[in-house]
C-alpha cells in the first residue's frame, strides 16, 4: 500500500537498512551452524549432492514448465533459475534435527548442500546466457527468430480458435 504513495521512496530507504541487517544476521546464523571441517572432509559428497540437486531440479522444473506449453528454451531458463535449494530448507532441517528425524552427519551434509546451492545461484544466473547460446549453437533450442515465429504462429492459432 505504501508503494503507491508519495512516501514510497522514503520508506524504502528507511527499511533497506533493517533488511540488510536481517540478511546479515540470517547469514551469520547459518554460518554458525555449518561445521567447515566436517564439510571439507566430505567435500566429494557435498559437491556431488549440490550437482545432483541442481541437475534434478532443473530437469523436473523444465519438464513442468514445458508441460504448460512454454518453449523448451523458456522452460530451461526457468529450470536453471529455480535450481537451488530455498532458504526454507534451513527451517525444515532444524525441525527435522530437533525431532531426531535425521542424524547429525546427514543434518550437516544437508545443511552444507543447501548453503552451497544458495552460494552457487549467482554463478548459475551468470551462466544462463552462455548455456542458452550454446543450446542454440548445438540446436537444442530454436534461434531467436525461430522462437518469435513460433510465438506468432501460436498467437495466430489462438486467434483462429476463438473465431
Amino acid at each position: 500500500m505504501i508503494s503507491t504513495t508519495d512516501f514510497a521512496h522514503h520508506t524504502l530507504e528507511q527499511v533497506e537498512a533493517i533488511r540488510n541487517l536481517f540478511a546479515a544476521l540470517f547469514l551469520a546464523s547459518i554460518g554458525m551452524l555449518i561445521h567447515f571441517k566436517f564439510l571439507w572432509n566430505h567435500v566429494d559428497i557435498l559437491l556431488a549432492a549440490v550437482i545432483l540437486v541442481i541437475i534434478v531440479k532443473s530437469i523436473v522444473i523444465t519438464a513442468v514448465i514445458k508441460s504448460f506449453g512454454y518453449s523448451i528454451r523458456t522452460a530451461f531458463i526457468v529450470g536453471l533459475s529455480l535450481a537451488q535449494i530455498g532458504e526454507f530448507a534451513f527451517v525444515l532441517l532444524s525441525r527435522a534435527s530437533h525431532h531426531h528425524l535425521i542424524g547429525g552427519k546427514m543434518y550437516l551434509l544437508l545443511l552444507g548442500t543447501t548453503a552451497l546451492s544458495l552460494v552457487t545461484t549467482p554463478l548459475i544466473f551468470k551462466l544462463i546466457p552462455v548455456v542458452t547460446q550454446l543450446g542454440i549453437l548445438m540446436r537444442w533450442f530454436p534461434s531467436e527468430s525461430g522462437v518469435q515465429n513460433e510465438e506468432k504462429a501460436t498467437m495466430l492459432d489462438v486467434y483462429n480458435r476463438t473465431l
Side-chain angles (χ1 to χ4, degrees):
M1 289 175 28
I2 294 174
S3 66
T4 60
T5 66
D6 296 334
F7 299 108
H9 184 67
H10 176 69
T11 305
L12 181 62
E13 288 177 355
Q14 298 297 319
V15 172
E16 192 169 11
I18 296 170
R19 182 187 67 181
N20 292 341
L21 175 71
F22 281 128
L25 184 64
F26 171 76
L27 293 174
S29 64
I30 296 304
M32 290 188 310
L33 293 174
I34 295 175
H35 296 286
F36 292 103
K37 185 176 180 182
F38 175 82
L39 293 178
W40 183 254
N41 290 337
H42 298 90
V43 71
D44 52 345
I45 298 171
L46 181 67
L47 291 176
V50 170
I51 291 169
L52 183 68
V53 165
I54 290 172
I55 289 172
V56 169
K57 278 192 73 177
S58 294
I59 290 171
V60 169
I61 292 170
T62 299
V64 169
I65 299 299
K66 182 68 178 145
S67 72
F68 282 111
Y70 290 95
S71 70
I72 187 68
R73 183 173 176 222
T74 301
F76 184 72
I77 290 171
V78 172
L80 278 180
S81 299
L82 298 175
Q84 79 279 359
I85 301 174
E87 293 89 349
F88 189 64
F90 292 121
V91 176
L92 294 176
L93 284 172
S94 172
R95 299 309 302 159
S97 176
H98 178 72
H99 290 292
H100 306 290
L101 296 174
I102 57 175
K105 289 183 180 182
M106 181 61 72
Y107 170 74
L108 291 175
L109 283 172
L110 291 173
L111 191 70
T113 302
T114 303
L116 189 58
S117 79
L118 286 172
V119 170
T120 60
T121 301
L123 176 65
I124 292 172
F125 272 83
K126 291 282 186 184
L127 290 176
I128 287 175
V130 174
V131 173
T132 54
Q133 287 300 321
L134 178 67
I136 290 170
L137 291 174
M138 299 294 288
R139 298 179 192 234
W140 298 332
F141 309 133
S143 64
E144 286 291 324
S145 60
V147 170
Q148 290 173 351
N149 290 339
E150 182 182 315
E151 289 174 356
K152 286 179 185 177
T154 304
M155 289 172 49
L156 283 173
D157 187 40
V158 168
Y159 178 73
N160 289 334
R161 286 184 187 175
T162 58
L163 292 178

